[in-house]
Amino acid sequence: MRSPDSYWLATGPDWSRRGAALPERADVCVLGAGVMGSTLAYWLTRSGARPLVIDRNAAPAMGSSGRNAGRLIQGGHAQHALAIDAHGHDEALAIYRATLTNRDLVREVTAREGIEAALFPTAKLDLAVEEDEALELKRTAEALRADNIAAEWLDLPGARAVFGTDLPDTVLGALHRPDQDAVHSVGYVRGIAEAAARGGAEFACGVTATSVEPAAGGGWLVVTDAGRVLADQVVVALNVWTPRLLPELAPVITPVRGQLVQTAPVPFRIPQWGLDRGLLYGGQTPDGSLLVGGLRTTVPGRDEGIEVPDGSNTPGFAPDLAERLAEALPSVLPAATGVPVVRAWSGVMAFTPDRCPLVGAWPGAEGLWVMAAFNGHGMPYSQVMPEQLAERIRGGRGAGIPVGFDPARFL
Ligand SMILES: Cc1cc2nc3c(=O)[nH]c(=O)nc-3n(C[C@H](O)[C@H](O)[C@H](O)COP(=O)(O)OP(=O)(O)OC[C@H]3O[C@@H](n4cnc5c(N)ncnc54)[C@H](O)[C@@H]3O)c2cc1C
């Protein structure tokens, strides 16, 4: 069942740009060409900058951004009612609103840059099987509506109607949020990277950064296996690999393995779904294949804190987890019974103790920035955080970055 590539990497566009020799100087050097680094480069070029992007892989999107489920689920990591309990209403709403701005930016950018084919609209159903989760989801539907965000609690017949195919009787109901998006992850990221390159960004792929140090005369020296670059500003967007360059973040970032299995295409379409507080989740690819992931916490110590071998894009693959995911699918989606699993792959996510990402300036180090650790939830921030960080790099306020994302909270 294990496959070397994800569905997205196997079916996405190639990256045909040949990297030039590493320049000696750059105004802004972005480390990492995942969705975050590539999109930051795009927004920097929109304001006339010509950033240098460095990635150790041969092409953008070969890290987690090309291995995910492609879902742009609005809101932060927690359901809105719980986010209000944890962060207070204003901060919870700022986080949710950032992802709504993101939705609009994703639609705008994909249309402007001719990559609409990588974007497909969907909805999200959070299915509850326990009474306490049903109460949380009902509370969330009310809290979202109070903030003028479309959401409703549906009982089982209502959930079945939106799902479009059967759901088991154990489901009590669902939180329904319409107007969500999904992307072809590799088509989306490489499309934006191409647009950044057209705008003047340079992509040095196949180059590994080994350190970032303050330069003697000001600015930052980026040391790589292909030479050194002196940059006025450096952005570290290295996901779970960020602590290799910024070791102070090692205690803050926990690598967590994620795995997905993919079925053969089915003749029906379903919305994105999550079950049991996202313990199990799924979506669908543009060709109709079903994706199912999750079950991470079911075996303590198996997936959290996992080692990622040097130079690798993913931790080792867990065959037992893939089997359990494949077995679990028909229990949520009876219509998937007997549909063969054709592919399975792993990737890695970077979790923080408060489940909020790290986006902003490195305290006390002018010109050094970090944008990492999206807690398995980077896509709903994939335009808005890079766009806002680009604004800060240009000297603006970048006020759309929630205060709770400031890396200084851990440093
Ligand atoms: C199985 C799975 C499912 C997921 N599903 C979803 C989902 O449905 N929705 C969602 O929002 N999120 C999902 N995620 C999380 C999402 O993929 C991440 O939040 C997002 O991709 C992070 O983007 P990034 O640019 O920070 O990281 P990456 O895409 O990992 O980019 C980091 C880049 O840094 C490069 N790099 C590392 N070290 C160096 C170095 N020393 N020098 C140069 N380059 C280096 C890597 O090559 C890589 O390209 C999922 C993740 C996994 C693993």
Side-chain angles (χ1 to χ4, degrees), residues 327-403:
E327 281 161 19
L329 181 61
S331 67
V332 187
L333 189 55
T337 308
V339 178
V341 166
V342 296
R343 198 188 287 272
W345 65 89
S346 59
V348 65
M349 300 170 281
F351 276 45
T352 56
D354 61 7
R355 299 288 185 266
C356 287
L358 306 165
V359 186
W362 191 265
E366 201 186 326
L368 183 61
W369 307 86
V370 63
M371 181 170 49
F374 282 83
N375 290 273
H377 197 66
M379 303 305 262
Y381 299 115
S382 58
Q383 294 295 328
V384 67
M385 289 304 124
E387 188 242 4
Q388 290 292 300
L389 190 62
E391 191 179 308
R392 285 196 187 174
I393 290 169
R394 294 191 307 264
R397 287 181 59 224
I401 302 175
V403 287

Side-chain angles (χ1 to χ4, degrees), residues 35-215:
V35 68
M36 295 302 162
S38 301
T39 313
L40 176 65
Y42 172 76
W43 284 103
L44 288 166
T45 62
R46 297 275 301 162
S47 60
R50 296 170 70 84
L52 170 69
V53 185
I54 293 177
D55 197 289
R56 65 165 184 223
N57 281 309
M62 291 179 71
S64 300
S65 300
R67 298 169 181 278
N68 58 31
R71 310 182 317 157
L72 279 70
I73 298 161
Q74 291 152 22
H77 80 280
Q79 294 291 1
H80 194 49
L82 302 183
I84 292 172
D85 295 345
H87 306 292
H89 178 261
D90 290 356
E91 179 70 356
L93 185 57
I95 292 173
Y96 209 102
R97 283 212 177 120
T99 65
L100 294 175
T101 306
N102 190 77
R103 172 198 62 196
D104 298 342
L105 286 174
V106 168
R107 292 173 185 181
E108 178 191 310
V109 169
T110 51
R112 181 166 60 229
E113 302 304 340
I115 44 177
E116 308 91 320
L119 178 69
F120 44 106
T122 177
K124 175 87 197 294
L125 277 186
D126 292 297
L127 308 167
V129 284
E130 309 247 336
E131 277 298 345
D132 56 346
E133 189 187 11
L135 287 174
E136 273 170 29
L137 296 178
K138 283 176 191 169
R139 222 159 48 85
T140 286
E142 280 162 24
L144 286 170
R145 276 205 310 277
D147 285 327
N148 290 318
I149 298 166
E152 60 185 336
W153 167 260
L154 298 172
D155 58 11
L156 180 55
R160 281 181 171 140
V162 171
F163 208 54
T165 181
D166 202 12
L167 284 168
D169 290 338
T170 45
V171 171
L172 301 173
L175 172 70
H176 172 222
R177 287 178 291 162
D179 202 21
Q180 311 275 318
D181 289 311
V183 290
H184 185 299
S185 305
V186 170
Y188 173 61
V189 178
R190 290 194 185 156
I192 289 163
E194 278 290 347
R198 284 196 300 275
E202 222 173 284
F203 281 77
C205 291
V207 173
T208 300
T210 50
S211 68
V212 184
E213 302 153 13

